[in-house]
Amino acid sequence: MAISRELFDRLVDLRRTTNRFMIAAGIEIVDAKEGTATARLVTSADKHQNPQGVVQGGVLMTMADAAMATALVAFNDAVATVDMNYHFLGAVHSGDTVLCEANIIKAGRKVVVTQAMLYVEQRLIGRATATFLRSGKKMIEE
């Protein structure tokens, strides 16, 4: 790890506590290691369900985006999502718990490519890839 464990933990905590949209949706970052992150969402009808009676796709995309961005915290670099592709592979029903496992596929000096796999129990329900642009601006000054 290029940064200290203390700084890494502070950066993960920053991602957990300042992403207001992620928090409002009920998405939690439950684990992070260098280059990986895991998020969890317990879905509910009143908060996440669309008119067809399943979880709104945008919630799952938000979850994937948040987990993939968290996988990048070891760079201590403010990042922006510049491209994201999501494949819906199965329905998520209210009351389901979704786990999202994200990791870095390729990291360059300016561009980082990531992926996320979303599961309900052992059932794969979504797959995302995203490209992030590194700003060069530190999230936390060391």
Side-chain angles (χ1 to χ4, degrees), residues 8 12 15-16 22 28-40 63-73 99-104 114-117:
F8 180 86
V12 172
R15 294 280 311 148
R16 283 184 177 126
M22 178 187 82
E28 304 172 82
I29 303 297
V30 294
D31 190 33
K33 296 177 178 59
E34 185 175 7
T36 68
T38 303
R40 177 179 56 221
M63 182 181 200
D65 186 49
M68 290 185 287
T70 302
L72 306 180
V73 299
L99 282 180
C100 175
E101 299 172 352
N103 65 285
I104 296 171
T114 59
Q115 71 176 354
M117 307 296 267

Side-chain angles (χ1 to χ4, degrees), residues 47-116:
K47 200 171 192 178
H48 304 110
Q49 187 170 295
N50 69 18
Q52 287 74 43
V54 295
V55 171
Q56 170 67 32
V59 174
L60 302 173
M61 293 176 75
T62 297
M63 182 181 200
D65 186 49
M68 290 185 287
T70 302
L72 306 180
V73 299
F75 296 123
N76 188 16
D77 204 348
V79 297
T81 310
V82 294
D83 178 66
M84 184 171 165
N85 188 345
Y86 189 95
H87 296 274
F88 295 94
L89 303 174
V92 179
H93 301 281
S94 298
D96 286 347
T97 298
V98 181
L99 282 180
C100 175
E101 299 172 352
N103 65 285
I104 296 171
I105 297 173
K106 174 127 175 78
R109 288 179 312 147
K110 286 288 194 184
V111 175
V112 182
V113 180
T114 59
Q115 71 176 354

